[in-house]
């Protein structure tokens, strides 16, 4: 006889979210998604690489002009990203 496997999907997701490694990775993905939504698809074309390490968003860009323009609004971007994901996750943005 088989065991009963009547777990709700919501219960399983909540259990998975308690795993700190998974929750941190999902927060990183949410922050990068929020960053891309904030700057828009036109500026996303200039991004070569982006990653988050220890709360700092590193963005590698193709254009020095775009990097310079984005650097003026770094503090606004940090506030908007953290507001979109619902917690203070990003502490700085490094544009390369």
């Amino acid at each position: 006889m088989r065991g009963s496997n009547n777990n709700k999907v919501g219960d399983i997701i909540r259990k998975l979210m308690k795993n700190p490694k998974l929750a941190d990775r999902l927060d990183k993905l949410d922050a990068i998604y929020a960053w891309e939504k904030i700057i828009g698809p036109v500026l996303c074309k200039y991004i070569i690489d982006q990653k988050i390490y220890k709360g700092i968003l590193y963005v590698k860009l193709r254009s020095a002009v775009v990097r310079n323009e984005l650097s003026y609004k770094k503090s606004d971007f940090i506030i908007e990203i953290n507001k979109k994901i619902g917690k203070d996750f990003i502490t700085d943005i490094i544009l390369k």
Side-chain angles (χ1 to χ4, degrees), residues 29-44 47 49-50 57 81 84:
L29 290 173
D30 287 342
I32 289 175
Y33 179 74
W35 161 254
E36 290 174 350
K37 285 292 185 189
I38 290 167
I39 64 169
V42 174
L43 293 177
C44 281
I47 295 175
D49 189 27
Q50 55 192 354
L57 174 61
I81 291 169
K84 282 190 183 267

Side-chain angles (χ1 to χ4, degrees), residues 22-96:
L22 181 61
D24 183 57
R25 180 69 179 143
L26 289 174
D27 287 339
K28 287 179 181 179
L29 290 173
D30 287 342
I32 289 175
Y33 179 74
W35 161 254
E36 290 174 350
K37 285 292 185 189
I38 290 167
I39 64 169
V42 174
L43 293 177
C44 281
K45 293 177 185 176
Y46 292 99
I47 295 175
I48 296 171
D49 189 27
Q50 55 192 354
K51 66 179 178 179
I52 298 175
Y53 181 70
K54 293 187 178 181
I56 300 173
L57 174 61
Y58 294 90
V59 181
K60 190 171 183 181
L61 298 160
R62 290 187 184 144
S63 171
V65 175
V66 173
R67 181 180 67 233
N68 191 30
E69 290 296 320
L70 291 176
S71 68
Y72 292 128
K73 295 189 69 173
K74 278 185 0 178
S75 60
D76 294 337
F77 291 142
I78 293 168
I79 292 168
E80 287 185 51
I81 291 169
N82 288 332
K83 189 166 66 171
K84 282 190 183 267
I85 63 172
K87 62 169 111 173
D88 289 337
F89 188 72
I90 300 295
T91 57
D92 195 11
I93 298 174
I94 305 293
L95 302 168
K96 298 180 181 180

